[in-house]
Amino acid sequence: MEKQQLKRVLKTRHLSMISMGGVIGTGLFLGSGLTINSAGAGGAIVAYLIGGIMTYLVMLCLGELAVAMPVTGSFQAYATKYIGPSTGFMVGIAYWMSWATTVGLEFTAAGLLMKRWFPDMPTWIWCLFFIVLLFGINALTTKGFAETEYYFAGIKIVAIILFIIIGGCAVLGIISLKGGQTAPFFTNLYNDGGWFPKGFTPILITMISVLYGFQGTELLGVTAGESENPERDIPKATKNIIFRVLLFYVTSIIIVSALVPWRKAGLVESPFVMMFDKVGIPYAADIMNFVILTAVLSVGNSGLYLCSRMFFAMSESGQVPKAFGKLSKRQIPMNALLVSLAFALLSLLTSVIAANTLFVVLLAISGIGTTIAWAVIALSHINFRRAYIKNGGKLEDLAFRVKWYPFVPIASFIMCVGIILSLVLDSSQRASFYWATGFVVSCYVYYLVRFKWVNNVIPIQATKIEEHL
């Protein structure tokens, strides 16, 4: 029986906009204020610079892997092949659970955001509406998902560009501030000890939150299995990531820090709402509420896509039941999509009935899951290069090649591991480190018991990868 294959329907414009939109999310619109308040203006700028550099280095590694082996599931499949099946299983489950939990949170966030315009309507009705909407988008066609993300990303990008232009003019005094306030220029960056008011340690402590803002960029690798022309599209999107990060994140953080004193940032509302309010733009809160709603739905939409493709890839390797690899008539892994949605709804339920127990564990795994995945991508890249050269491969034959090897993957791996370990420095995040570590160990133990000691069979996704070598 011939294997079912996902259709390659994603075009250049889809991948470029999806990867661009993946960089802009609630982590920037909402989380940036807390980072500024915790680390100061200078600390926040440095943290986002480090986060941007990490994102770029990891995506370079993923870009080389994805062009050489454009398979669905990407880094989970690479980890299975080049690190070991148990690591592939661990990162696949951790990443799937991370995103499924996040999707559940986004449903709640979207419902709460709608309360601003419809205060008398119960939140659960909006949650149900958005659940049906996002499931429908993902269940119809892959192209439908891509088109939706294309426009979601467009809205976020326009909002960021307007913010940068208007905010920059306000900082320089070109646009007058409400209430006759004088233009701050860049005094808030260093006034009141604003550069590094609490030293350098808070930079490390806030890095997990900063990386949360960058999660989703790895979607570029997961889409490789459905890209029309991965050799052309993935390198182009990968190389542009660093410029998008510098433009959207770092520039935005500088403007927010210049307009909003670090002690006030993140304490009440989004710093973006505060900025629009300072320049007296009518309906500023409503405008940003709409933009943040778009970002929330974009995250939920991408999360369902990522979860379903991850389980589809793992089913092909035998790491999860084969039923999750079954495709619908529209070439959608429907069973994988349904179980991902079910887990997302479970996480939504636990946030109400088990908020201090199971939900805490899910949040811990969700917060660290992406960083674990990035570390695995870097290590997979190192092992791939070694295997490629050992098997007689020539570097010039690689359609996309990381120039600064092995510095790029080694630096990426060390930075990811360092940020995970830095959680121990913060008493409020220490429990997340322990829970996530326990989960990772449990995945390895389960895998060894289930596949090696019981069945004496270690599934490995090698066939599809070797087709591309």
Side-chain angles (χ1 to χ4, degrees):
M1 182 178 177
E2 187 179 349
K3 276 188 178 181
Q4 291 180 299
Q5 300 292 331
L6 297 172
K7 287 185 176 180
R8 293 188 177 274
V9 296
L10 300 183
K11 302 180 183 295
T12 304
R13 67 182 182 90
H14 292 140
L15 290 187
S16 296
M17 197 64 90
I18 286 172
S19 61
M20 192 179 296
V23 181
I24 308 169
T26 51
L28 175 60
F29 292 124
L30 297 176
S32 56
L34 290 173
T35 304
I36 294 170
N37 182 259
S38 299
I45 293 169
V46 170
Y48 278 99
L49 273 173
I50 294 172
I53 292 170
M54 276 188 63
T55 303
Y56 181 57
L57 295 180
V58 172
M59 290 310 111
L60 283 176
C61 298
L62 183 58
E64 180 174 312
L65 290 165
V67 172
M69 300 160 287
V71 295
T72 302
S74 68
F75 54 84
Q76 186 276 332
Y78 310 146
T80 298
K81 173 69 175 176
Y82 293 107
I83 301 177
S86 57
T87 298
F89 175 79
M90 179 278 294
V91 74
I93 293 296
Y95 190 76
W96 174 82
M97 188 176 289
S98 170
W99 269 102
T101 302
T102 299
V103 169
L105 295 176
E106 301 310 309
F107 290 141
T108 302
L112 292 173
L113 287 167
M114 293 301 292
K115 293 285 284 186
R116 178 176 182 83
W117 299 310
F118 303 94
D120 299 326
M121 190 172 291
T123 301
W124 70 265
I125 292 179
W126 287 113
C127 288
L128 180 61
F129 171 75
F130 290 124
I131 289 168
V132 173
L133 175 66
L134 295 187
F135 173 76
I137 290 171
N138 276 269
L140 290 177
T141 61
T142 299
K143 190 173 181 180
F145 154 77
E147 289 292 341
T148 306
E149 273 305 292
Y150 181 85
Y151 290 107
F152 277 160
I155 292 171
K156 292 186 287 185
I157 290 167
V158 169
I160 290 292
I161 291 173
L162 288 175
F163 173 83
I164 290 172
I165 294 172
I166 296 171
C169 290
V171 169
L172 298 174
I174 299 173
I175 294 179
S176 299
L177 296 176
K178 191 169 65 174
Q181 300 178 59
T182 58
F185 290 91
F186 296 99
T187 56
N188 283 327
L189 295 179
Y190 51 84
N191 277 350
D192 193 22
W195 198 234
F196 296 103
K198 302 177 183 179
F200 293 94
T201 302
I203 297 176
L204 284 175
I205 293 174
T206 58
M207 280 309 301
I208 282 289
S209 298
V210 169
L211 290 185
Y212 173 79
F214 291 112
Q215 77 169 1
T217 50
E218 67 282 347
L219 177 63
L220 185 65
V222 180
T223 58
E226 294 174 271
S227 170
E228 281 187 343
N229 191 336
E231 288 191 7
R232 177 195 63 200
D233 299 338
I234 293 175
K236 183 178 179 181
T238 300
K239 291 175 180 177
N240 288 335
I241 283 177
I242 189 64
F243 303 109
R244 292 193 293 270
V245 167
L246 290 174
L247 175 63
F248 295 133
Y249 266 90
V250 179
T251 307
S252 296
I253 294 300
I254 291 173
I255 290 174
V256 168
S257 300
L259 282 171
V260 182
W262 69 273
R263 291 186 186 275
K264 296 181 180 179
L267 297 183
V268 181
E269 57 187 345
S270 165
F272 288 75
V273 174
M274 294 177 70
M275 190 283 293
F276 280 128
D277 185 60
K278 273 180 173 288
V279 297
I281 293 179
Y283 307 107
D286 288 307
I287 293 170
M288 283 311 303
N289 201 62
F290 172 74
V291 173
I292 294 170
L293 176 64
T294 301
V296 164
L297 294 178
S298 174
V299 170
N301 195 34
S302 297
L304 281 179
Y305 174 88
L306 285 164
C307 287
S308 62
R309 271 45 178 192
M310 188 60 67
F311 254 29
F312 173 82
M314 294 180 73
S315 73
E316 289 197 310
S317 67
Q319 295 175 333
V320 298
K322 292 287 186 182
F324 294 129
K326 186 177 180 180
L327 299 181
S328 67
K329 292 181 180 179
R330 296 179 179 271
Q331 301 298 295
I332 300 296
M334 188 59 68
N335 292 337
L337 179 61
L338 286 170
V339 76
S340 299
L341 181 62
F343 191 89
L345 297 181
L346 174 64
S347 73
L348 181 59
L349 182 64
T350 59
S351 68
V352 178
I353 64 174
N356 295 320
T357 52
L358 180 57
F359 187 62
V360 171
V361 177
L362 293 176
L363 278 182
I365 297 168
S366 177
I368 302 177
T370 298
T371 312
I372 292 173
W374 285 14
V376 166
I377 288 170
L379 187 56
S380 297
H381 181 226
I382 293 171
N383 292 345
F384 160 72
R385 273 287 190 100
R386 288 175 178 171
Y388 183 77
I389 297 298
K390 184 178 179 180
N391 292 331
K394 297 181 179 179
L395 294 180
E396 55 267 24
D397 291 337
L398 291 172
F400 178 66
R401 183 173 78 251
V402 175
K403 294 180 180 179
W404 304 300
Y405 179 90
F407 167 77
V408 168
I410 291 175
S412 302
F413 182 79
I414 292 174
M415 291 170 80
C416 288
V417 172
I419 287 172
I420 293 174
L421 294 177
S422 71
L423 293 177
V424 179
L425 298 175
D426 184 12
S427 58
S428 65
Q429 299 189 81
R430 203 168 292 148
S432 296
F433 172 79
Y434 295 141
W435 280 119
T437 301
F439 176 79
V440 168
V441 172
S442 299
C443 284
Y444 278 109
V445 171
Y446 172 84
Y447 186 88
L448 291 173
V449 171
R450 171 70 175 81
F451 294 107
K452 189 173 183 180
W453 296 340
V454 175
N455 294 344
N456 197 30
V457 174
I458 301 180
I460 182 166
Q461 184 167 347
T463 305
K464 287 189 68 180
I465 292 179
E466 287 168 354
E467 290 173 0
H468 297 280
L469 286 177

